Amino acid sequence: MGQSDLNLAALIGSRICHDLISPIGAINNGLELLGMSGNQLDGPEFDLIGQSVMNASARIRFFRIAYGAPSEQPIGRAEVVSILNDVMDGTRLTVAWGPLDGQARSAVRMAFLAVQCLESAMPYGGRIEVTCENGRWVLHGKSDKFNMDETLWGDLKRRNVPQDVKAAQVQFALLTVSAQDLGRKVSVEETPTDLFLRF
């Protein structure tokens, strides 16, 4: 994939997320208004709708950064923590965001892609800790058991852009390409209970 194609794909991702967040927010606002009007909204149907709207909103906010256009515009810690907490709500994973200061959108984008790579290897749950010191990012996945796709992780270790990836695996290709664009190198280190991604 050429640079122009990658930029176009990122802009498309940004546009889709931008256009979807408004109607999702409107559904949520509608539910809140119904609740304030005295209507009974405590049934399982409304619980399902409310939870689904919250989940969709969290994912769109996450995807907007992970798959949107990169920039050096800073993203504040509060926003990042809110997105990660919401997107991981109801899953077996927790993500601890270490950086206290705002970080460039391009760096947060890489971190979000790395979180998705780690998430794919942690189907049994665990904890991901994200730190950044002197511009060096470390994502540390902790789990009792990992399930790693050898081909995808092998390409990531060799810094090769994987070929013929499925839609659910696109984060591996985009992480590698994004690192190359920023002049960074992704490294992988693993033990039976720890998995590190550094860039």
Side-chain angles (χ1 to χ4, degrees):
M1 178 180 279
Q3 182 62 39
S4 61
D5 292 335
L6 183 64
N7 289 340
L8 183 58
L11 289 172
I12 291 169
S14 292
R15 175 60 191 265
I16 290 171
C17 291
H18 178 271
D19 288 357
L20 285 177
I21 199 70
S22 291
I24 293 293
I27 294 170
N28 191 47
N29 290 340
L31 287 173
E32 289 179 1
L33 288 172
L34 283 171
M36 290 170 25
S37 67
N39 292 310
Q40 294 294 324
L41 299 179
D42 55 358
E45 300 88 355
F46 285 105
D47 289 344
L48 179 61
I49 293 170
Q51 188 62 39
S52 297
V53 168
M54 288 177 58
N55 186 272
S57 177
R59 289 182 178 277
I60 290 170
R61 290 164 61 213
F62 182 93
F63 293 155
R64 192 174 188 180
I65 294 173
Y67 298 101
S71 73
E72 293 311 299
Q73 177 185 359
I75 301 178
R77 171 184 168 80
E79 181 180 356
V80 173
V81 170
S82 172
I83 291 171
L84 290 172
N85 287 345
D86 289 348
V87 84
M88 293 299 167
D89 186 40
T91 72
R92 298 178 179 180
L93 273 178
T94 59
V95 180
W97 184 263
L100 299 177
D101 299 328
Q103 300 291 327
R105 188 181 192 91
S106 57
V108 176
R109 180 182 191 234
M110 283 191 63
F112 277 18
L113 292 168
V115 164
Q116 281 200 304
C117 291
L118 288 169
E119 183 182 16
S120 74
M122 302 169 69
Y124 308 104
R127 177 180 172 86
I128 299 172
E129 296 177 352
V130 184
T131 58
C132 179
E133 294 184 10
N134 300 318
R136 182 74 174 159
W137 290 80
V138 179
L139 285 90
H140 178 191
K142 300 179 180 182
S143 181
D144 292 334
K145 185 177 180 182
F146 292 100
N147 185 9
M148 300 171 66
D149 183 304
E150 292 183 10
T151 301
L152 290 172
W153 284 94
D155 282 333
L156 197 57
K157 289 176 184 177
R158 292 186 294 273
R159 303 182 183 117
N160 295 333
V161 178
Q163 303 298 312
D164 301 321
V165 293
K166 300 175 184 175
Q169 304 165 335
V170 71
Q171 64 269 22
F172 285 90
L174 193 53
L175 178 59
T176 302
V177 172
S178 298
Q180 292 171 355
D181 288 345
L182 294 175
R184 292 177 174 266
K185 295 180 179 179
V186 178
S187 65
V188 179
E189 180 186 344
E190 60 188 280
T191 73
T193 58
D194 299 272
L195 182 55
F196 293 90
L197 265 175
R198 297 182 174 90
F199 57 86

